[in-house]
Amino acid sequence: MDKLDLVIRDGLIVDGSGAPPLHGEIGVDEGKIVEVSKGSTLQGDIQIDASGLVVAPGFVDIHTHSDFSLLQNPKAESYIRQGVTTSILGACGRSCAPINESKKDLLIKDIIGYDPQVPLTWRSFADYLGEFEKRGISQNIAAFVAHNAVRIAVMGYDERAASKNELEEMKSLVGASMSAGAIGLSTGLAYPPGSNADTDEVIELAKVAANYGGIYFSHLRGTDGDFLRGAREALEIGEKARLPVHMAHFCGFFGNFEETQRGLSLIRDARNRGLDVTCDLYPYLAGANPLMAFFPPSIFNRTQSTLRSEFQDSNLRSECAKEIHNSELGAFWFNKPETANRIILFDLYAASNQPLKGKSLAEVARLKGMQVVEATLSVLAEEGENMFNTGIICKWMEERDNFAVFREPFHMVGSDGMALAPYGQLASFKFHPRAYGAFPRVLRKYVRENSILTLEGAIQKMTSMPAKRAGLLDRGLLKKGMWADLTIFNYDEIRDTSTYERPNTYPQGIEYVIVNGELVIESGEHTGKLPGRVLRHGASTRS
Ligand SMILES: [Zn+2]
């Protein structure tokens, strides 16, 4: 055989299929894997000595929110350094396209970390995907067409069912996006504007995605309350629209193990009925949210200055507290002591609030001698212009529940994070440690330290499973003919270093990351290369 572009020698090959590891070498030429064998006979222009290292397919993240941040910094620092070579965008109903000019400002409200320095020059989903190709990216991406974006384009944040015409308009946007290469439809039915849609609307839109061979991805309705109700709805949508279903961050709340088990049984039963159902969950027990995310839309939709004056006045404050208590979301989060104990104030900006950092809402209420909601509102009044940024950590899971989900064969790893970098604009984000650490954390905590998963089982959940789920049939496995996306790491040293206190730190132990045959991480450092591609649905089966 002639000299190849790249040869990786003497590594422990974990091929992504779940099969036991084998020692050997991998040959890469013109961006693809051309040889996987036990020998050491290949010659390459570049040769990597992988002795003592694990060679795996590049990780595929089925659940990210890098829709905008990847345009801000195409190097995908916090993900490529975890070994993630493909990120799926448009999760949980949120995306940056399609855009209806007259509703553009409303869409901006739904874009995580929007920054006017990246102008929204595209309108269609096709042009949005093209934007990544224009700029170049260090990792591959594929994307869902997102329900929120589609609904905002047609009816803004209107709290009502769609009219017949509006539904037709939404269907045609979903159709256009699918034909431009979306891998399916995603929804976030737990929060506005997705929560304004009824089940029938989603079924009709999912049918359009089904016609193109797409899947249905859901951040469940009522995840913040009754997650089983949300799961049943997602399964109903899959069954009526006839398409595979993927449920995001799937786990019961607050250590309610019975509920977690019932949720997992719902999936098992549906799979036994023939429905193709999977889920993802990240390897952390707490989420990080803006505190305002727990308020009903009637409060959330008011302007900051209105809210500030209402929260400062004790009479108006108790009116707001009542409004929150009477809402479904508010009743769930603020009426129970077990919840107030699990919500910890974290990102506080006002000097007067600093002593409250790290305290639970229950403690804050005790200190202020107020009810939980009123105490929360008085904290927000102090925050003033930062009230929408005031962040909390919510310890919503117990380890037992989390591990139970990870043990299921239909679970895959999804970070639910966004591509960030500890420099430039994105450094100001204090998001969640998962944006920098989710994948290495699984290998450290779930494989090496707790033996919840085998190495090959964990790699499968990070590579071939999500690739297959996203319809990317030529990625996720180390096999002849597949695209050469690879992650090479030291098993004993791989670990996450990001924490809730210091979320913006890179993981350790990942030596090389290769995307489409090109080195993006070399000896632990970013080469600056941008070999990532936009992966359009159907393209991998056609070529
Ligand atoms: Zn999400």
Side-chain angles (χ1 to χ4, degrees):
M1 195 181 275
D2 292 339
K3 223 171 178 196
L4 302 174
D5 289 342
L6 171 71
V7 171
I8 299 148
R9 284 247 171 85
D10 205 20
L12 184 70
I13 299 172
V14 181
D15 72 2
S17 70
L22 71 103
H23 270 280
E25 62 177 353
I26 291 180
V28 171
D29 209 43
E30 293 181 356
K32 292 205 168 177
I33 296 170
V34 294
E35 188 72 44
V36 180
S37 68
K38 280 187 175 172
S40 62
T41 56
L42 302 174
Q43 293 296 319
D45 290 332
I46 300 173
Q47 308 206 127
I48 293 174
D49 174 10
S51 55
L53 302 175
V54 174
V55 183
F59 304 149
V60 177
D61 193 342
I62 192 74
H63 183 165
T64 80
H65 294 282
S66 304
D67 310 85
F68 191 79
S69 68
L70 203 47
L71 294 170
Q72 285 172 286
N73 185 337
K75 287 166 80 181
E77 296 273 10
S78 74
Y79 274 86
I80 205 76
R81 286 169 190 264
Q82 293 186 53
V84 177
T85 53
T86 301
S87 277
I88 310 298
L89 312 182
C92 303
R94 310 180 76 172
S95 175
C96 304
I99 298 174
N100 172 347
E101 189 62 46
S102 68
K103 303 280 197 322
K104 191 169 137 189
D105 289 340
L106 294 175
L107 180 70
I108 284 171
K109 249 181 111 173
D110 201 46
I111 295 177
I112 303 171
Y114 173 73
D115 169 1
Q117 281 178 27
V118 178
L120 305 182
T121 51
W122 59 88
R123 292 296 171 265
S124 68
F125 187 84
D127 288 347
Y128 169 63
L129 290 184
E131 187 70 22
F132 290 99
E133 280 163 336
K134 257 192 249 163
R135 290 165 180 261
I137 31 175
S138 282
Q139 56 170 188
N140 306 308
I141 58 143
F144 290 102
V145 50
H147 177 232
N148 280 10
V150 167
R151 203 172 209 271
I152 289 169
V154 175
M155 45 193 305
Y157 278 79
D158 286 5
E159 290 176 56
R160 59 179 176 81
S163 70
K164 207 165 174 278
N165 282 344
E166 287 164 339
L167 183 60
E168 286 309 314
E169 258 185 84
M170 286 193 269
K171 280 164 70 173
S172 91
L173 287 175
V174 171
S177 305
M178 288 301 300
S179 81
I183 60 166
L185 172 73
S186 92
T187 59
L189 301 179
Y191 39 80
S195 54
N196 299 327
D198 56 23
T199 308
D200 287 339
E201 172 180 320
V202 183
I203 292 172
E204 288 309 306
L205 300 179
K207 280 180 183 167
V208 179
N211 284 340
Y212 288 85
I215 70 164
Y216 175 59
F217 177 110
S218 185
H219 176 137
L220 305 177
R221 201 191 298 271
T223 292
D224 304 338
D226 178 359
F227 112 106
L228 295 175
R229 181 182 56 151
R232 284 192 200 96
E233 182 189 32
L235 297 174
E236 181 192 345
I237 291 163
E239 268 164 342
K240 291 195 171 150
R242 297 176 177 274
L243 81 177
V245 174
H246 181 85
M247 302 197 236
H249 35 61
F250 193 84
C251 193
F253 272 67
F254 309 134
N256 185 340
F257 193 55
E258 200 190 309
E259 198 174 76
T260 296
Q261 285 177 310
R262 283 172 63 198
L264 294 172
S265 301
L266 278 179
I267 297 185
R268 260 182 244 119
D269 293 348
R271 286 168 66 91
N272 289 338
R273 288 197 301 277
L275 191 65
D276 179 3
V277 190
T278 52
C279 70
D280 67 62
L281 186 62
Y282 50 66
Y284 296 86
L285 303 179
N289 302 80
L291 179 51
M292 299 279 287
F294 300 119
F295 290 172
S298 61
I299 300 270
F300 190 80
N301 289 344
R302 279 177 227 168
T303 65
Q304 193 186 93
S305 57
T306 308
L307 287 174
R308 189 173 193 186
S309 48
E310 286 183 314
F311 294 173
Q312 272 169 342
D313 178 290
S314 65
N315 286 331
L316 292 173
R317 189 164 66 217
S318 17
E319 285 301 308
C320 290
K322 236 182 263 164
E323 197 173 332
I324 292 168
H325 274 295
N326 291 337
S327 71
E328 193 186 348
L329 210 55
F332 180 73
W333 286 108
F334 296 107
N335 289 358
K336 296 181 217 152
E338 68 264 31
T339 324
N341 278 323
R342 284 172 180 266
I343 299 179
I344 316 293
L345 288 175
F346 194 62
D347 267 343
L348 297 170
Y349 299 84
S352 54
N353 276 337
Q354 292 312 309
L356 303 178
K357 216 172 190 163
K359 296 208 181 331
S360 72
L361 291 187
E363 283 173 282
V364 173
R366 267 196 300 278
L367 284 170
K368 289 185 177 265
M370 296 177 184
Q371 297 290 315
V372 172
V373 180
E374 289 202 75
T376 306
L377 299 183
S378 90
V379 169
L380 289 171
E382 295 288 310
E383 289 296 319
E385 61 178 11
N386 282 311
M387 70 168 65
F388 283 94
N389 299 324
T390 302
I392 56 99
I393 290 174
C394 178
K395 298 178 179 169
W396 68 280
M397 261 182 284
E398 294 292 333
E399 201 161 66
R400 181 168 67 156
D401 301 69
N402 184 281
F403 283 175
V405 177
F406 266 76
R407 285 195 180 97
E408 291 292 343
F410 48 76
H411 158 269
M412 60 191 82
V413 179
S415 72
D416 193 10
M418 59 192 288
L420 296 173
Y423 60 85
Q425 271 299 102
L426 296 173
S428 60
F429 255 91
K430 208 170 170 202
F431 179 74
H432 188 287
R434 65 191 191 238
Y436 284 79
F439 287 77
R441 185 179 174 86
V442 171
L443 294 168
R444 172 183 69 77
K445 184 177 167 186
Y446 292 63
V447 179
R448 198 171 66 220
E449 292 175 4
N450 289 292
S451 304
I452 302 302
L453 303 170
T454 61
L455 174 61
E456 57 269 30
I459 296 291
Q460 188 183 13
K461 283 174 182 283
M462 300 175 175
T463 57
S464 66
M465 274 183 74
K468 196 172 161 214
R469 179 86 306 196
L472 309 173
L473 304 179
D474 48 9
R475 310 216 176 233
L477 286 171
L478 298 182
K479 219 172 76 176
K480 201 173 164 174
M482 302 297 252
W483 284 98
D485 295 339
L486 295 104
T487 291
I488 303 173
F489 62 90
N490 184 315
Y491 176 80
D492 295 315
E493 289 176 11
I494 192 166
R495 68 183 189 98
D496 51 314
T497 68
S498 52
T499 60
Y500 294 98
E501 290 73 26
R502 291 182 62 234
N504 299 344
T505 59
Y506 294 137
Q508 292 174 354
I510 295 178
E511 301 290 326
Y512 300 94
V513 180
I514 294 159
V515 177
N516 297 311
E518 289 197 49
L519 277 161
V520 179
I521 297 294
E522 187 171 7
S523 303
E525 291 307 318
H526 202 302
T527 60
K529 287 191 178 155
L530 305 172
R533 295 184 184 198
V534 174
L535 310 177
R536 291 178 176 82
H537 183 64
S540 66
T541 42
R542 277 200 299 269
S543 68

